[in-house]
Amino acid sequence: MLSRSSLSTLKAHCLSPEWREPAIGIVHLGIGNFHRAHEALYTEEAMLAQPGDWGICGVTLQGDVSKRDALMAQDGLYSVVERGPDGERVTVVRALREVLAMPFDRARLLELFADERVRIVSLTVTEKGYCRDPQTGDADFAHPGVAHDLAHPDEPSTVPGILCAALKARRHAGTPPFTVLSCDNLSQNGEALRQAVCSFARRLDPALAKWIETHVAFPSTMVDRIVPATTEADRAAAQAALGVRDEAPVPCEPFRQWVIEDRFPAGRPAWETAGAQLVDDVAPFEIAKLRMLNATHSALAYLSMLAGFETISDAVGHAPLGSLIHAMMTREIAPTLDVPPSFDLAAYRDALLDRYANPALKHRCAQIAMDGSQKMPPRILSTIEARLDAGQPIERLALAVAAWFTFLRGRADDGTRYAISDPLAERLTKAAECAGTPESLVDALLAVSDVFPAALARNPVLREVLVRAATKLQNGSLAAIDEYARLD
Ligand code: CS2
């Protein structure tokens, strides 16, 4: 098994044999595969270029002790298995020093939050982890976890509750705050998190809210790397390369990108030495990535769940679906983006399609299809709103939304059943199952106000194109894909 004491036997698989064990300087909430193949790797490389105490303590918020135990049994070590079209590269990461599982390790977590050496708290908790009210952007006070945390602020379980408890302790101790770094696919993710945390703090203690507003930085980031879930094949690949067992390897594509707003009053690793782009304003990058990559990922996922393509590379390998996605980006998404002249959107699109086609990655559509209620607004609905405002057509984007609606019925075209994983699953599946006709399906789902703002739900053009797309999909998704791929 991987362990720090036997690392010397594996040096060939580490980025560099020169390594000084760092103290913990980053607490990361949401220690999933994405973080381990992204920020953790950038941080490891940054520490190799410029030594510093930026070791990471990863926290799972779902009480997943098996993940904690598997990683801690390996002293926090794990391998990243980069899978490219031309083969794979296995690298052992050492930056992760400790793993905690909430709520079991709350005392240790609070101890770390109080430690002045912890200068960054970063997050990959997925969209739903922010517990935001979709109408206002404040913390969602109707959310049971948020209500619990307001009543029991010393036993927090949600992101707003945990961050407020931590910042409150720093303030009382007179310790400078840490920087809070969101690494999720939300638009303006830093600002979104700041609003959720400050609105929660205002209910708890207005003076704390003021202090957070004045002293705590919440830079926004754009993160990008395709990181599927770990499979047995990844464990076998890691073992073959390392000669020892790794229970927690992370598969990923070779590509990676990280654009970060450079606002870190308490300091940061030299991430730029690892290729991160430190900028003043991340918005153009973030919006382009959400609308081009994440939107087409979701479109591919829902159409594939109906048509029966298992992975993203299978999906874009189907020529009509590949050209539909190409046209969706070219005709309907790219024209809505306001990017600097040096940002070549056609090249960006082509690079995305190449990344999707990577046959070694096996990124499952079912994984991307999760949590549609959280993903659709920033990925696809924002583009639809912009285009409707400008009187521009939205046929292809509407097909993606209609595919999500049809997907919520829980069965593929060939009758295969699958589960819907979404925080609103109960409401969504009930609406989708009761609706017999395409019109009633569209009306039932447009009425879900957590997803569709009132003005959009009432838009007659949107309803019309959605009904048209849902009708086509009802007659078979492959035929619909064919037809939409041939649109002018
Ligand atoms: C994907 C993303 O699962 C999903 O919804 O769209 O995780 C995607 O792979 C990453 O954002 C790529 O950077």
Side-chain angles (χ1 to χ4, degrees):
M1 196 190 285
L2 274 174
S3 70
R4 291 204 188 241
S5 58
S6 61
L7 253 189
S8 53
T9 60
L10 298 174
K11 284 289 175 203
H13 291 284
C14 293
L15 284 168
S16 154
E18 305 304 320
W19 179 254
R20 182 184 70 82
E21 293 293 2
I24 290 170
I26 299 176
V27 170
H28 183 79
L29 306 181
I31 183 71
N33 277 9
F34 183 79
H35 169 78
R36 292 194 292 129
H38 193 264
E39 181 183 333
L41 201 54
Y42 277 95
T43 305
E44 171 123 352
E45 291 179 26
M47 284 191 283
L48 287 168
Q50 218 177 88
D53 281 325
W54 296 108
I56 299 170
C57 169
V59 184
T60 142
L61 297 181
Q62 273 86 43
D64 186 351
V65 287
S66 61
K67 184 180 285 173
R68 174 195 66 188
D69 295 347
L71 281 162
M72 288 309 283
Q74 306 180 168
D75 300 329
L77 299 174
Y78 62 89
S79 46
V80 168
V81 183
E82 269 176 29
R83 295 187 187 282
D86 313 320
E88 66 194 21
R89 196 169 81 113
V90 177
T91 313
V92 173
V93 177
R94 297 158 289 189
L96 182 64
R97 299 302 320 270
E98 189 171 344
V99 182
L100 303 176
M102 280 286 273
F104 308 105
D105 303 318
R106 187 177 282 125
R108 171 66 181 143
L109 182 60
L110 293 177
E111 180 181 301
L112 277 171
F113 280 148
D115 186 334
E116 192 164 359
R117 287 172 302 176
V118 170
R119 285 168 288 162
I120 295 175
V121 173
S122 55
L123 299 89
T124 45
V125 292
T126 79
E127 298 84 345
K128 61 178 178 276
Y130 289 75
C131 305
R132 296 164 70 218
D133 175 337
Q135 329 287 0
T136 62
D138 283 354
D140 179 1
F141 295 102
H143 184 292
V146 174
H148 167 276
D149 290 2
L150 263 186
H152 309 277
D154 297 330
E155 291 173 14
S157 57
T158 66
V159 162
I162 290 170
L163 290 173
C164 278
L167 290 165
K168 183 174 155 203
R170 302 272 285 218
R171 176 170 175 252
H172 279 169
T175 310
F178 43 74
T179 298
V180 186
L181 187 65
S182 166
C183 296
D184 279 294
N185 291 315
L186 262 61
S187 66
Q188 309 266 1
N189 53 11
E191 176 53 28
L193 179 56
R194 196 191 66 81
Q195 193 185 338
V197 170
C198 289
S199 58
F200 183 89
R202 266 194 298 279
R203 292 262 177 123
L204 208 60
D205 171 0
L208 173 66
K210 247 223 125 52
W211 184 81
I212 297 176
E213 272 160 16
T214 319
H215 297 287
V216 183
F218 290 81
S220 283
T221 61
M222 182 275 251
V223 295
D224 191 7
R225 183 166 228 183
I226 297 178
V227 185
T230 304
T231 63
E232 263 320 308
D234 302 314
R235 293 194 181 89
Q239 179 152 11
L242 305 174
V244 292
R245 184 80 179 155
D246 176 0
E247 284 303 332
V250 185
C252 62
E253 63 175 339
F255 179 88
R256 67 180 194 190
Q257 190 180 8
W258 197 10
V259 190
I260 312 168
E261 274 172 15
D262 202 0
R263 292 190 282 121
F264 292 82
R268 60 166 173 80
W271 283 316
E272 68 280 12
T273 59
Q277 297 156 261
L278 278 301
V279 299
D280 290 336
D281 179 13
V282 89
F285 299 92
E286 192 181 67
I287 296 172
K289 191 252 172 176
L290 270 167
R291 291 190 181 180
M292 294 282 273
L293 189 160
N294 295 112
T296 53
H297 246 180
S298 291
L300 283 164
Y302 297 123
L303 288 164
S304 296
M305 291 302 287
L306 300 174
F309 301 118
E310 197 184 333
T311 66
I312 290 291
S313 64
D314 295 344
V316 290
H318 177 72
L321 186 47
S323 42
L324 168 61
I325 294 298
H326 182 282
M328 190 181 286
M329 288 197 263
T330 314
R331 307 289 292 273
E332 297 188 6
I333 301 175
T336 68
L337 297 172
D338 187 11
V339 289
S342 58
F343 196 135
D344 181 343
L345 284 167
Y348 190 66
R349 171 203 62 206
D350 293 346
L352 288 181
L353 289 168
D354 283 348
R355 289 167 62 194
Y356 293 171
N358 179 348
L361 206 56
K362 311 238 178 297
H363 195 194
R364 294 184 58 247
C365 295
Q367 186 185 344
I368 301 168
M370 289 184 211
D371 293 350
S373 67
Q374 316 292 302
K375 293 176 176 176
M376 291 311 256
R379 294 179 177 204
I380 297 187
L381 301 185
S382 64
T383 311
I384 288 185
E385 274 176 312
R387 290 186 68 81
L388 286 173
D389 283 350
Q392 294 159 337
I394 52 161
E395 295 293 331
R396 300 173 185 86
L397 292 164
L399 183 70
V401 177
W404 177 50
F405 289 177
T406 312
F407 156 86
L408 291 170
R409 291 185 157 151
R411 51 178 195 281
D413 284 2
D414 68 2
T416 309
R417 294 199 163 265
Y418 46 76
I420 306 294
S421 170
D422 192 297
L424 303 187
E426 216 179 293
R427 267 158 72 193
L428 296 170
T429 51
K430 207 157 136 213
E433 276 160 10
C434 295
T437 61
E439 286 81 1
S440 55
L441 178 70
V442 167
D443 289 338
L445 286 159
L446 280 179
V448 179
S449 60
D450 280 2
V451 178
F452 291 95
L456 191 60
R458 275 197 310 266
N459 187 303
V461 178
L462 176 63
R463 180 177 186 275
E464 188 190 315
V465 283
L466 284 175
V467 168
R468 192 155 53 234
T471 308
K472 300 282 181 199
L473 287 169
Q474 201 158 18
N475 297 328
S477 57
L478 283 174
I481 290 166
D482 255 2
E483 185 177 331
Y484 277 71
R486 281 184 280 104
L487 286 180
D488 271 345

